[in-house]
């Protein structure tokens, strides 16, 4: 290349600041020329014209209708480098102290090969939940490793992948035991006193609405009198003590109760597993397996059970099955989209979980292997023993001599001083009470840290060999992680290639648009992502003192303020760590509000039949009764039916949950009437805000009738899906519900309500992503993004309507940000199904749209604002080509059971095999409409789901099965 090209600019080159593209131009796919073409096709002159034509005038924010930006609290946007510089300033306001607070959060060393190739790699972090298993084999294998790791370490038969955090996993363990225990009808559940305070708080939140009575009890004194359906203990305890629970478990079983054990996975490399001690279920977190603390999250919780309970597991479970050629293949087993099918009968409301973080933890275990993990654990334990020895040597009493990594020191009246002295030495300890200090070691703890802590107590290290601290009856003898997945990738080269091999099997946003209705798979910009691995955000303990956390808390405050502005609500809580948890927190606020007004009998929740499945599941979790409201043939809520249901339940009406714009992809024009009718009857309005991408800058749920909404920051606000999590599901509320926003036992100044997540600010460390997005877009950019998303959805609706009829449109023939393509008639006439079309798209290099939700036999397409016209047209061309393939089936040219659609997806290998099909290999793998698009080879052929459910295998299959 000529150097000239790099250095010479035209003499007349204008000032860079005026030509440099603003970030909104990088985020938004269509440029002005493309946008003009899009608007031409949909027949509106301008984006503003689109706003008035699509959004009902009654709710369109007057301030935003073309004049001004209306979002007064949002800052003027800055470019990527300026935003990163501001974030660096905020980061510099945090102090990364040595964290020895413990309580379920430990500093950890993420292997750099994992940081760069998973956490910072869009092939992993931009992936969607693996509902299309044929193009998701990489992340499914990684999750199967996670399940195997958890099952091995806990001694359980089956683990899921994965839970939102340890505290919510404990709550799910409690409700699972209640479902599973057919022998006991008791409402009582025994919780040991030595559990983490945040775990206890979330258990209390969950128990009360379900009529479960928590019995706090020190189980070292045996079990309490009376009946109870379950017992929950922690291993090791919050105080650090390691207790042998075998007898307790046996006695609980004799009493007809089941037992859940919250277990630390690193400790389990040295300690006998709860499974071997007889536990029925294990729960916990995998944070310390290489996932940064991140001021509370995100990290993956886990839940593992004996096989008798495997069909009761909430969340996602990866299983092994076979594909159309009989080759082994992975898929989500049993509860795939469980909530959508079972709704109010679902086992839980968990949808988005923590897939990316589960994958990091699994790879951490693969990279270290059982011997590596054991030596990490041994080092952690030896640091704790040296600490204990030094303390005892200088006369400080410890609460126990049996511990793994955590020591509780008894210093009557001196605890505050000791913690302050340690702080001066750069170490954060846990102030348990005025007399007790907790100190937890982790893999980053050095002898110098131990010296600093001992110094804070006025003690020093002894010369003697510290005493053993693991009870001999509990020393682990069983093997774990013997599968090749945990022995083969111990060099960096091998791990690097393994990660690349896996991600190459998957379609993520780095390869194709992911046109998933309701899930808003938009750009996750690199500048938004960069700061998540900065240590000043990543290495903060959620209970670190405020003096260490000014920077991250200023991010929290900004995001809260900006979301208040965008939603029109009065206050926002960032604690819920998924949309489903936001629903739960919002409904709890409604419930507590009614109770506070002496109307606690209000317990009916109206939910339109089109709702996302989590809505009904969340309502049940807060003790509400679900009453379904019908939809009209045009997709709108049937207002007559709604009024009838309101009349019928007038005295007991608690709330309506309504998604806006609806999951049918239209702005219902009667939304204000609907809200008013519910309010008139004394009910509250929950607006599911998952579709906020169609509202930002145009209308505000807090102004058009909502009392509370959750938002999905992993949809509208650029947090990546990570293959099924992380998520952030904040709720906005109007002032009367503000006193009921989530609180936290270890943090004052939040809402007055109850804790719903383990950490005060949920998945705090990824709020920087949303912060950067809003900071770089500004009010004008956000509004343009919304309108572009609507324009692109309408463009697709226009282009595809004659090939696949668009099921629902609003008053002016417009859709919102997504559209539903109806294949039911085509299926009836030709036998070709939505599955066939979805799988066939993989042969064209595309990820399929949402299948059969919210209407069976349809595809829901959402392009988002981030896709440019070339990609949108390529998708439409592929869909149109697929339509002509369907016609060839319809005309009888190809038999319904042997054609490129039914045969899809086609692997390279399938082409190399004998070929006895009425279509050619070229038609199979290189259809004309593939055009110049890069060929993505699916890793497996169509997977037999039923086979996998009948023969449930949920851990790594033996290596022979790969033959
Ligand atoms: C995604 C979604 C949810 C659930 O959010 P999660 O973050 O997956 O828990 C709820 N409602 C609607 C309409 C959604 O699209």
């Amino acid at each position: 290349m000529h150097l000239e090209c790099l250095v010479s600019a035209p003499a007349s080159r204008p000032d860079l600041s005026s030509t440099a593209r603003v970030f909104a131009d990088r985020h938004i796919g269509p440029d002005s020329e493309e946008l003009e073409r899009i608007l031409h096709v949909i027949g509106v002159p301008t984006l503003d014209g689109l706003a008035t034509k699509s959004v009902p005038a009654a709710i369109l924010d007057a301030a935003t209708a073309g004049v001004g930006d209306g979002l007064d609290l949002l800052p003027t946007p800055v470019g990527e480098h300026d935003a990163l510089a501001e974030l660096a300033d905020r980061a510099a306001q945090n102090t990364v102290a040595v964290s020895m607070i413990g309580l379920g959060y430990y500093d950890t060393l993420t292997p750099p090969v994992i940081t760069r190739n998973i956490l910072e790699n869009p092939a992993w972090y931009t992936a969607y939940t693996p509902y299309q298993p044929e193009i998701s084999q990489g992340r499914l294998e990684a999750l199967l490793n996670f399940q195997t790791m958890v099952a091995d370490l806990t001694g359980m038969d089956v683990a899921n992948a994965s839970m939102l955090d340890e505290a919510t996993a404990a709550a799910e363990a409690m409700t699972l035991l209640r479902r599973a225990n057919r022998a006991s009808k008791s409402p009582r559940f025994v919780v040991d006193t030595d559990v983490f305070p945040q775990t206890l708080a979330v258990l209390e939140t969950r128990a009360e609405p379900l009529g479960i009575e928590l019995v706090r009890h020190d189980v070292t004194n045996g079990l309490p009198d009376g009946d109870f359906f379950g017992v929950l203990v922690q291993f090791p305890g919050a105080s650090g003590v390691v207790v042998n629970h075998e007898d307790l478990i046996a006695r609980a079983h004799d009493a007809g109760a089941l037992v859940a054990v919250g277990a630390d996975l690193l400790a389990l490399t040295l300690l006998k597993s709860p499974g071997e001690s007889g536990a029925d279920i294990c729960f916990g977190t995998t944070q310390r397996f290489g996932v940064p603390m991140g001021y509370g999250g995100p990290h993956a919780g886990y839940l593992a059970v004996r096989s008798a309970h495997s069909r009761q597991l909430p969340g996602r479970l990866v299983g092994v099955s076979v594909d159309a050629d009989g080759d082994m293949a992975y898929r989500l087993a049993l509860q795939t989209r469980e909530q959508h099918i079972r709704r109010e009968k679902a086992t839980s409301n968990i949808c988005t979980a923590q897939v990316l973080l589960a994958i990091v933890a699994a790879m951490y275990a693969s990279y270290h292997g059982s011997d590596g993990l054991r030596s990490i654990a041994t080092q952690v334990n030896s640091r704790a023993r040296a600490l204990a020895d030094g303390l005892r040597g200088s006369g400080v009493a410890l609460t126990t001599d049996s511990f793994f990594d955590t020591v509780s020191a008894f210093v009557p009246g001196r605890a505050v001083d000791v913690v302050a002295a340690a702080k001066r030495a750069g170490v954060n300890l846990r102030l348990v009470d005025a007399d007790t200090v907790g100190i937890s070691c982790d893999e980053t703890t050095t002898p110098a840290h131990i010296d600093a802590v001992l110094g804070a107590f006025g003690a020093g290290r002894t010369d003697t060999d510290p005493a053993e601290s693991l009870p001999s009856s509990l020393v682990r003898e069983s093997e774990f992680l013997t599968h090749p997945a945990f022995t083969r990738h111990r060099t960096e080269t091998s791990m690097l290639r393994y990660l690349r091999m896996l991600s190459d099997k998957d379609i993520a946003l780095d390869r194709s648009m992911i046109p998933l209705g309701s899930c808003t798979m938009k750009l996750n910009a690199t500048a938004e992502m960069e700061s998540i691995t900065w240590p000043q955000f990543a290495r903060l303990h959620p209970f670190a003192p405020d003096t260490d956390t000014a920077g991250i808390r200023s991010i929290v405050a900004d995001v809260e303020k900006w979301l208040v502005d965008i939603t029109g609500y009065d206050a926002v809580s960032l604690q819920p760590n998924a949309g489903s948890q936001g629903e739960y927190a919002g409904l709890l606020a409604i419930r507590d509000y009614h109770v506070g007004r002496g109307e606690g009998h209000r317990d009916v929740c109206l939910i339109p039949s089109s709702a996302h499945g989590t809505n009904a599941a969340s309502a049940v979790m807060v003790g509400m009764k679900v009453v379904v409201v019908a939809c009209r043939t045009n997709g709108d809520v049937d207002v007559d039916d709604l009024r009838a249901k309101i009349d019928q339940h007038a005295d007991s009406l608690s709330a309506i949950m309504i998604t806006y714009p609806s999951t049918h992809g239209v702005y219902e024009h009667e939304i204000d009437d609907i809200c008013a009718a519910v309010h008139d009857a004394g009910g509250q309005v929950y607006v599911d805000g998952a579709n906020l991408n169609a509202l930002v800058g145009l209308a505000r749920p807090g102004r058009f009738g909502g009392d509370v909404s959750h938002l999905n920051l992993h949809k509208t606000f650029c947090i990546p899906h990570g293959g099924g999590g992380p998520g952030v599901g904040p709720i906005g509320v109007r002032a009367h519900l503000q006193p009921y926003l989530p609180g936290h036992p270890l943090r004052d100044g939040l809402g007055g309500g109850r804790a719903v997540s383990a950490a005060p600010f949920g998945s705090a460390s990824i709020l920087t992503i949303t912060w950067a997005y809003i900071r770089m877009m500004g009010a004008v950019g956000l509004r343009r993004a919304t309108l572009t998303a609507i324009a692109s959805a309408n463009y697709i609706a226009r282009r595809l309507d004659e090939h696949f009829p668009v099921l629902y449109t609003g008053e002016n023939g417009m859709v919102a940000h997504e559209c539903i393509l109806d294949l039911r008639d085509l299926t009836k006439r030709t036998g070709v199904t939505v599955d066939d079309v979805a799988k066939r798209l993989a042969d064209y290099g595309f990820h399929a749209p949402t299948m059969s939700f919210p209407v069976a036999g349809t595809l829901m397409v959402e392009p988002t604002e981030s896709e440019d016209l070339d990609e949108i047209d390529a998708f439409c061309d592929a869909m149109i080509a697929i339509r002509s393939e369907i016609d060839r089936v319809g005309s009888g040219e190809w038999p319904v059971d042997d054609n490129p659609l039914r045969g899809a997806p086609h692997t390279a290998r399938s082409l190399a095999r004998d070929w006895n099909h009425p279509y050619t290999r070229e038609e199979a793998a290189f259809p004309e409409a593939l055009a110049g698009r890069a060929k993505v080879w699916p890793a497996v052929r169509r997977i037999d789901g039923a086979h996998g459910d009948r023969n449930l295998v949920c851990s790594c299959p033996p290596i022979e099965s790969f033959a």
Side-chain angles (χ1 to χ4, degrees):
M1 183 193 289
H2 290 290
L3 198 56
E4 264 174 336
C5 308
L6 295 174
V7 296
S8 73
S12 62
R13 184 175 180 164
D15 174 15
L16 238 190
S17 60
S18 62
T19 57
R21 284 176 163 246
V22 298
F23 175 75
D25 292 338
R26 303 288 185 196
H27 175 84
I28 295 173
D31 61 17
S32 51
E33 219 172 280
E34 290 179 340
L35 184 65
E36 220 166 285
R37 275 157 54 207
I38 289 171
L39 292 176
H40 178 75
V41 168
I42 60 181
V44 292
T46 60
L47 283 181
D48 283 326
L50 180 65
T52 37
K53 193 166 174 188
S54 321
V55 183
I59 69 163
L60 191 64
D61 224 321
T64 67
V67 275
D69 56 38
L71 299 173
D72 309 325
L73 304 180
L74 304 194
T76 314
V78 295
E80 293 164 85
H81 292 94
D82 288 339
L84 280 165
E86 282 185 30
L87 273 173
D89 279 346
R90 305 295 181 95
Q93 293 168 30
N94 294 329
T95 303
V96 182
V98 176
S99 177
M100 300 183 81
I101 298 170
L103 288 180
Y105 300 93
Y106 311 91
D107 204 0
T108 178
L109 300 170
T110 316
V113 65
I114 291 176
T115 303
R116 173 153 295 183
N117 295 288
I118 300 176
L119 266 184
E120 298 181 337
N121 182 351
W124 288 98
Y125 68 68
T126 68
Y128 181 60
T129 306
Y131 291 134
Q132 294 290 333
E134 293 84 2
I135 44 99
S136 310
Q137 290 293 297
R139 52 196 188 271
L140 285 164
E141 178 167 328
L143 290 175
L144 199 68
N145 292 353
F146 177 87
Q147 293 177 181
T148 305
M149 168 188 91
V150 171
D152 267 20
L153 283 167
T154 56
M156 290 283 140
D157 299 319
V158 185
N160 72 358
S162 47
M163 303 300 280
L164 290 162
D165 59 32
E166 172 154 6
T168 54
E172 295 289 343
M174 170 176 74
T175 51
L176 191 156
L177 289 190
R178 196 184 200 195
R179 285 194 302 278
N181 193 341
R182 304 251 157 80
S184 168
K185 290 283 156 275
S186 169
R188 296 168 83 224
F189 187 66
V190 178
V191 181
D192 184 30
T193 43
D194 203 16
V195 300
F196 295 140
Q198 71 274 18
T199 298
L200 177 66
V202 172
L203 285 170
E204 282 171 340
T205 305
R206 287 282 184 93
E208 184 268 328
L210 298 176
I212 295 173
E213 199 184 308
L214 288 194
V215 182
R216 295 197 61 197
H217 185 80
D218 180 354
V219 298
T220 50
N221 301 328
L223 287 164
D225 295 333
D227 288 346
F228 39 87
F229 70 87
V231 178
L232 183 147
V233 296
Q234 203 169 315
F235 183 70
S239 66
V241 66
V242 174
V243 175
N244 190 333
H245 290 127
E246 250 163 81
D247 286 348
L248 177 90
I249 292 170
R251 276 182 285 117
H253 286 164
D254 288 345
L258 297 172
V259 180
V261 177
D264 180 307
L265 292 187
L266 190 62
L268 294 186
T269 64
L270 303 181
L271 293 170
K272 195 166 166 180
S273 70
E276 294 166 284
S277 295
D280 300 288
I281 179 166
C282 280
F283 67 90
T285 171
T286 60
Q287 180 267 319
R288 72 191 312 176
F289 277 26
V291 182
M293 291 184 286
Y295 199 43
H299 355 91
Y302 76 81
L303 198 61
V305 294
R306 298 200 176 276
S307 45
H309 308 313
S310 58
R311 283 163 205 269
Q312 300 276 353
L313 267 174
R316 296 185 179 125
L317 184 64
V318 177
V320 182
S321 189
V322 292
D323 74 1
D325 287 344
D327 293 326
M328 198 189 68
Y330 309 117
R331 60 181 279 278
L332 292 178
L334 304 181
Q335 44 273 91
T336 303
R337 311 224 104 186
E338 182 203 54
Q339 295 85 10
H340 289 326
I341 298 159
R342 304 188 27 172
R343 295 182 178 257
E344 69 272 15
K345 295 192 186 63
T347 52
S348 91
N349 67 345
I350 295 178
C351 183
T352 293
Q354 302 279 21
V355 164
L356 188 70
L357 303 315
I359 290 171
V360 168
M363 291 304 167
Y364 175 95
S366 284
Y367 202 45
H368 288 300
S370 65
D371 55 327
L373 293 176
R374 225 190 290 259
S375 68
I376 291 169
T378 303
Q379 180 190 300
V380 169
N381 178 243
S382 81
R383 300 275 186 264
R385 286 191 293 133
L387 175 69
D389 215 48
L391 290 173
R392 277 186 301 242
S394 56
V396 176
L398 305 181
T399 52
T400 178
D401 291 330
S402 297
F403 56 84
F404 163 61
D405 65 347
T406 297
V407 170
S408 291
F410 187 61
V411 281
R414 287 208 299 135
V416 170
D417 294 340
V418 169
V419 169
K423 180 77 200 149
R424 284 194 294 278
V427 183
N428 289 334
L429 304 181
R430 176 185 174 211
L431 179 69
V432 180
D433 56 37
D435 307 325
T436 317
V437 176
I439 311 117
S440 294
C441 299
D442 58 51
E443 65 169 316
T444 71
T445 308
T446 64
H449 299 153
I450 298 302
D451 290 341
V453 174
L454 287 171
F457 282 90
R461 234 185 304 168
T462 56
D463 304 329
T464 49
D465 238 0
E468 289 297 333
S469 72
L470 303 178
S472 54
S473 73
L474 283 175
V475 170
R476 181 163 190 145
E477 270 151 24
S478 57
E479 290 193 309
F480 55 91
L481 306 187
T482 54
H483 190 273
F486 301 98
T487 59
R488 276 196 176 164
H489 313 295
R490 307 291 294 279
T491 66
E492 177 156 340
T493 302
S494 176
M495 176 54 74
L496 177 69
R497 289 182 188 153
Y498 183 48
L499 294 176
R500 176 65 191 255
M501 183 273 286
L502 291 179
S503 60
D504 273 356
K505 293 182 174 182
D506 291 8
I507 293 185
L509 278 176
D510 60 337
R511 289 185 135 164
S512 154
M513 76 187 289
I514 302 184
L516 276 159
S518 211
C519 285
T520 313
M521 298 293 291
K522 59 166 70 176
L523 171 74
N524 315 117
T526 313
E528 292 154 7
M529 291 297 295
E530 266 203 338
S531 65
I532 63 160
T533 47
W534 295 353
Q536 296 92 333
F537 294 125
R539 291 182 78 178
L540 297 176
H541 192 285
F543 312 138
D546 280 358
T547 47
D548 290 359
T549 60
I552 185 78
R553 285 183 298 109
S554 76
I555 298 286
V556 167
D558 281 351
V559 171
E560 283 177 2
K561 179 176 72 186
W562 296 343
L563 294 181
V564 160
D565 201 20
I566 288 167
T567 59
Y569 284 110
D570 297 310
V572 161
S573 165
L574 295 169
Q575 189 179 106
N577 45 18
S580 60
Q581 305 305 296
E583 292 174 17
Y584 178 70
L587 290 173
L588 261 188
I590 289 176
R591 182 177 184 276
D592 290 348
Y593 168 77
H594 286 313
V595 170
R597 289 160 41 100
E599 304 204 338
H601 59 279
R602 291 186 174 272
D603 65 353
V604 165
C605 187
L606 303 176
I607 300 183
S609 59
S610 59
H612 195 272
T614 52
N615 287 186
S618 298
V620 170
M621 282 169 60
V622 299
M624 291 186 187
K625 297 193 188 91
V626 174
V627 172
V628 177
V629 180
C631 284
R632 297 194 192 118
T633 48
N634 72 352
D636 288 0
V637 170
D638 183 336
V639 178
D640 296 332
D641 188 49
L642 174 74
R643 291 190 193 280
K645 297 272 159 70
I646 290 176
D647 285 348
Q648 199 180 331
H649 301 283
D651 297 335
S652 52
L653 181 64
S654 177
I656 185 169
M657 290 185 93
I658 184 163
T659 306
Y660 201 81
S662 74
T663 46
H664 288 156
V666 292
Y667 298 98
E668 282 174 48
H669 281 244
E670 286 158 307
I671 182 67
D672 45 343
D673 295 342
I674 292 172
C675 295
V678 172
H679 282 143
D680 289 347
Q684 294 279 293
V685 175
Y686 187 108
V687 177
D688 180 328
N691 292 341
L692 203 77
N693 212 46
L695 293 180
V696 176
L698 301 182
R700 308 178 206 205
R703 300 280 170 83
F704 65 68
D707 297 293
V708 49
S709 290
H710 79 267
L711 321 179
N712 301 63
L713 300 192
H714 48 296
K715 294 178 181 174
T716 313
F717 292 97
C718 295
I719 289 175
H721 273 248
V728 177
I731 55 172
V733 293
R734 296 205 19 233
H736 63 283
L737 294 181
Q738 191 170 351
Y740 306 104
L741 282 178
H744 194 277
L746 299 175
R747 180 156 200 102
D748 298 330
L750 298 176
R754 314 180 248 183
V756 297
S757 305
F761 301 107
S763 296
S765 64
I766 52 176
L767 294 174
T768 54
I769 301 169
T770 293
W771 186 94
Y773 175 59
I774 298 174
R775 186 73 191 88
M776 296 188 293
M777 291 294 276
V780 174
L782 289 174
R783 182 168 185 272
R784 178 150 73 93
T786 305
L787 287 167
T788 307
I790 299 168
S792 292
N794 278 285
Y795 175 84
I796 289 179
R798 294 292 156 102
R799 271 207 70 189
L800 293 184
D801 186 45
E802 65 178 287
H803 310 282
F804 302 96
V806 173
L807 184 56
Y808 301 123
T809 54
E811 252 168 29
N812 291 312
M814 307 292 286
V815 299
H817 62 309
E818 60 195 7
C819 60
I820 296 179
L821 306 176
D822 191 356
L823 276 74
R824 290 173 297 186
D825 184 51
L826 267 178
T827 300
K828 214 183 300 161
R829 287 193 285 114
T830 65
V832 176
T833 65
V834 272
D835 267 72
D836 295 333
V837 173
K839 308 303 174 189
R840 183 63 174 152
L841 275 167
D843 284 333
Y844 285 82
F846 283 98
H847 195 290
T850 302
M851 241 169 55
S852 288
F853 170 78
V855 182
T858 67
L859 292 171
M860 180 156 61
V861 182
E862 177 180 0
T864 84
E865 70 276 11
S866 297
E867 299 301 336
D868 65 23
L869 191 54
D870 281 348
E871 182 74 357
I872 291 172
D873 275 335
F875 173 74
C876 291
D877 293 345
M879 287 296 287
I880 291 166
I882 287 172
R883 172 59 212 259
S884 59
E885 291 174 350
I886 296 173
D887 290 341
R888 291 168 75 178
V889 177
S891 72
E893 182 185 342
W894 285 329
V896 67
D897 55 357
D898 193 1
N899 59 66
L901 296 132
R902 191 56 53 86
H906 296 86
T907 57
R909 186 151 181 208
S910 71
L911 302 190
R913 286 183 170 141
D914 283 347
W915 191 261
N916 306 309
H917 301 289
Y919 57 102
T920 67
R921 291 176 164 103
E922 187 168 17
E923 282 169 325
F926 294 95
E928 229 167 276
L930 184 64
R933 201 173 172 80
K935 180 67 191 168
V936 176
W937 290 104
V940 296
R941 299 199 65 199
R942 187 106 44 115
I943 297 173
D944 182 344
H947 174 92
D949 282 353
R950 275 195 311 273
N951 311 283
L952 198 59
V953 175
C954 299
S955 54
C956 295
I959 202 71
E960 307 82 63
S961 52
F962 291 82

